[in-house]
Amino acid sequence: MKNYREALTFNTPHRRDFVNITNQVRRALENSGIREGLCLVNAMHITASVFINDDESGLLKDYEDWLEGLAPHEPLSRYRHNRTGEDNGDAHLKRQVMGREVVVGVTEGKLDFGPWEQIYYGEFDGRRQKRVLVKIIGE
Amino acid sequence: MKNYREALTFNTPHRRDFVNITNQVRRALENSGIREGLCLVNAMHITASVFINDDESGLLKDYEDWLEGLAPHEPLSRYRHNRTGEDNGDAHLKRQVMGREVVVGVTEGKLDFGPWEQIYYGEFDGRRQKRVLVKIIGE
Amino acid sequence: MKNYREALTFNTPHRRDFVNITNQVRRALENSGIREGLCLVNAMHITASVFINDDESGLLKDYEDWLEGLAPHEPLSRYRHNRTGEDNGDAHLKRQVMGREVVVGVTEGKLDFGPWEQIYYGEFDGRRQKRVLVKIIGE
């Protein structure tokens, strides 16, 4: 069995951002030399997500508006978590809707994807350095 | 290490449908010959889900109504994504609530399940051919 | 390839509870002797979740209130599922928001975590015995 680990680093310019990281994960897979296996990609921070969906700017804005409706950022007093001095209570909730991680099949050295699958980093409390783990096992 | 790959194909009769795929995944596992490992089952399309829950028709209808409340199909103008000519903006959101994938433990050649766990394909933009990936690694 | 399996058991005192299970998963990993691989942790019951987020009591209460808003427990008649004699229709929905499982990278014999990641068992229909599966593969 082979294994490979890489941490990707992000520092997004806005509080909320979506970043297509598919090519970075592809390069990690190429570096790993693994041909058959499973590839885990997860946010290492708890106010961010890794998810798979469409590379379409309108949809990404739809996600942002929808998540803001489900878990509004303001008023900050809405969340007990913000009494600790944080202002990111909403971000912890939004991340649960979008998910922490994806697991992708690796087949013949490629991410085993359907036609439109793209891996996204979803940031809900940005403007500081954060990491995404890529861990691949297989042979 | 052994690995196995199979793609299941679906073409549901309605826009939204839930299909119990547990037995299809079980057959894939039998075909794999893998006794200990992990089994990934994921929608290869971004308006569909794979999730684990109960085989109970009332609950499945509850899911449908609840998701329609969280991310209504209409008015189509609600979603920027639909300006691209699509009418499935809601389906991309519903899929995030229900999830893209499940990872199931494989123990002694069986899906390592609790008493009520069933694997479902959740379709939110059906009436066309779509696929689910089953990728199993282990020994 | 090595593999390891353990089932953790819970019987929470309230209908809804959150239990930090990080140390139990760490002990399972130590017992496994696995140094590099993937660790699956999943609820074996369909009205419970395993998720990763912050060990902060205010946030856990925020989750409880937020989920109650998204999928209220009452009136019981709100859910078709409750016509089967159950009263846990809401719990099946809440579990989908929070997720069934997490997959954690294993690196140098440790859970490969960011600074704040903690593994939680989320119970939405407690006061009875339930299990969580820990399945680790690697080498």
Side-chain angles (χ1 to χ4, degrees), chain C residues 76-137:
Chain C
L76 297 182
S77 61
R78 181 182 176 110
Y79 303 105
R80 286 176 189 80
H81 183 57
N82 289 339
R83 294 181 198 159
T84 64
E86 299 279 0
D87 65 356
N88 63 8
D90 65 308
H92 290 273
L93 278 55
K94 287 166 171 146
R95 118 74 169 252
Q96 289 307 123
V97 177
M98 297 304 279
R100 166 187 180 261
E101 78 214 13
V102 296
V103 177
V104 182
V106 175
T107 301
E108 296 180 359
K110 308 280 187 200
L111 300 174
D112 199 334
F113 267 165
W116 303 103
E117 290 188 279
Q118 298 284 320
I119 309 176
Y120 268 86
Y121 176 66
E123 175 64 82
F124 306 114
D125 185 31
R127 299 177 294 195
R128 53 201 174 103
Q129 190 173 298
K130 291 185 171 180
R131 287 175 301 150
V132 164
L133 177 69
V134 182
K135 183 90 187 186
I136 313 170
I137 71 170

Side-chain angles (χ1 to χ4, degrees), chain C residues 13 17 28 38 42-43 48 54-56 59 65 85 90 98 110 123:
Chain C
D17 274 296
L38 295 177
N42 71 264
D54 202 0
D55 187 359
E56 199 279 297
L59 178 65
D65 290 352
D90 65 308
M98 297 304 279
K110 308 280 187 200
E123 175 64 82

Side-chain angles (χ1 to χ4, degrees), chain A:
Chain A
M1 206 199 79
K2 294 170 84 164
N3 69 83
Y4 181 82
R5 180 206 194 263
E6 192 174 318
L8 311 176
T9 304
F10 300 92
N11 190 333
T12 67
H14 311 102
R15 180 182 293 275
R16 288 183 282 278
D17 273 297
F18 294 110
V19 183
N20 188 332
I21 63 173
T22 314
N23 284 335
Q24 290 178 74
V25 177
R26 273 205 185 101
R27 279 194 293 274
L29 177 57
E30 287 164 16
N31 291 341
S32 77
I34 290 172
R35 303 277 306 163
E36 299 290 335
L38 295 177
C39 174
L40 168 69
V41 188
N42 70 264
M44 299 184 80
H45 297 257
I46 53 188
T47 51
S49 286
V50 170
F51 66 94
I52 286 176
N53 219 294
D54 202 359
D55 187 359
E56 197 280 296
S57 60
L59 177 65
L60 297 173
K61 194 77 182 79
D62 288 334
Y63 278 134
E64 187 172 346
D65 290 353
W66 178 63
L67 292 167
E68 193 61 25
L70 292 179
H73 180 63
E74 295 187 314
L76 297 182
S77 61
R78 183 183 174 106
Y79 304 104
R80 287 176 187 80
H81 183 58
N82 290 339
R83 296 180 197 159
T84 64
E86 299 279 359
D87 64 355
N88 63 8
D90 65 309
H92 290 272
L93 278 54
K94 286 166 172 146
R95 117 74 170 253
Q96 289 307 123
V97 176
M98 298 304 278
R100 166 187 179 261
E101 79 213 13
V102 297
V103 177
V104 182
V106 174
T107 301
E108 296 180 359
K110 308 280 187 200
L111 300 173
D112 198 333
F113 268 166
W116 304 102
E117 290 188 278
Q118 298 285 321
I119 309 176
Y120 268 87
Y121 176 66
E123 175 64 82
F124 306 114
D125 185 31
R127 300 178 293 196
R128 53 201 173 102
Q129 189 173 301
K130 292 186 171 179
R131 288 175 301 150
V132 163
L133 177 69
V134 183
K135 182 90 188 186
I136 313 170
I137 71 171
E139 65 180 10

Side-chain angles (χ1 to χ4, degrees), chain B residues 36 52-54 56 58-59 61-63 65-66 97-98 102-103 105-107 112 114 116-117 138-139, chain C residues 1 3 5 40 43-46 70-71 79-81 84 92-93 95-97 100-101 103 133 135 137:
Chain B
E36 299 291 334
I52 286 176
N53 219 294
D54 202 0
E56 198 279 297
L59 178 65
K61 195 77 181 78
D62 288 334
Y63 278 133
D65 290 352
W66 178 62
V97 177
M98 297 305 278
V102 296
V103 178
V106 174
T107 301
D112 198 333
W116 303 103
E117 290 188 278
E139 65 182 8
Chain C
M1 205 199 80
N3 70 82
R5 180 207 195 262
L40 168 69
M44 299 184 80
H45 297 256
I46 53 189
L70 293 178
Y79 303 105
R80 286 176 189 80
H81 183 57
T84 64
H92 290 273
L93 278 55
R95 118 74 169 252
Q96 289 307 123
V97 177
R100 166 187 180 261
E101 78 214 13
V103 177
L133 177 69
K135 183 90 187 186
I137 71 170

